[in-house]
Amino acid sequence: MADQLQMILLAADCPNESRQDESKPFRPLKADVRPRPALKPQGRQNGAGIIRTGSIASLVLLDPARGIAIKRYRPGPLVRALYWFCFQAGFPYMSNVDALEAARERRLIAGLLLKAELGREVVAPIMAVRFERGRGELISQFIAGGYPRDGRHARLFLDQASEILGEAGLNLWQVWRWNPKAVSNLVETASGEYRIIDLESSLVTPPVPNAHFWSNLAAGAFPVFDDINFGFLREYVAQRAGLLHETLGEDGFAELNASMKRCHEHMHAWKDREPRLWGRLVALLLKPFPIRQTACH
């Protein structure tokens, strides 16, 4: 895989009760196979076959021929200013290698957890991190398909994904159903299945209200930017170790644990270097209250 990729580039409060016991895995949504209009393209295609799309923080180049998607970070002044106001640091995905590597591991973690629960590949993995002219780029797997045709059905899928990932301690704005842009982070394949193609934030966001809301605040995760509560993540994996072993296999379970370790190291190196004054203030204000505190990075 590494050689193949190189050739391509050269040419991720109180503990709540488990949603259900290990013997009853999460029931996946059925693929939406109702007759409907053709899939809407993911973006504009140029003469070379490259599809251009993106967000306020990045340009994304989809290359179906090589099977890759290149996300080039080019945040504007407003995006950079908002991040600096919240964390007193530069926008991380532009030049911080630890932030980019943490994003790669966060996608891998999310992908393995969702695969175990839903029984199929759900998240497009990041295959490589690189820098072009001093700015960060993420090279991920290209997912053939188009924009989801049924927003209601797509949001049901987002509900499932956000419930699983939220319980596991991943505070991911991108798959929260009340994010107005959440559906745009999905691709619907020709078979009617949904794949998550983006889990990296462009903007700082408010905390997502989930089972670990107060614990995340007490840990200083305010505002939120691609945080993981590793205490709850480790608990989730330990409590569902049987299901994870069964669905992912020995190698997949070992890969999950190794990715968690790498992600924690990268996030610690990234976020602990930032002043993050607002988060420290919120954590200090909540310290007298009986809120379970676990490390978010």
Side-chain angles (χ1 to χ4, degrees), residues 267-276 280 297:
M267 291 189 75
H268 178 79
W270 157 26
K271 299 201 173 193
D272 282 4
R273 288 201 299 259
E274 298 177 339
R276 308 179 74 86
R280 295 179 190 275
H297 55 270

Side-chain angles (χ1 to χ4, degrees), residues 129-142:
V129 170
R130 73 180 184 187
F131 286 87
E132 183 73 22
R133 298 179 182 176
R135 294 195 177 188
E137 295 186 350
L138 298 176
I139 316 299
S140 60
Q141 180 187 28
F142 170 73

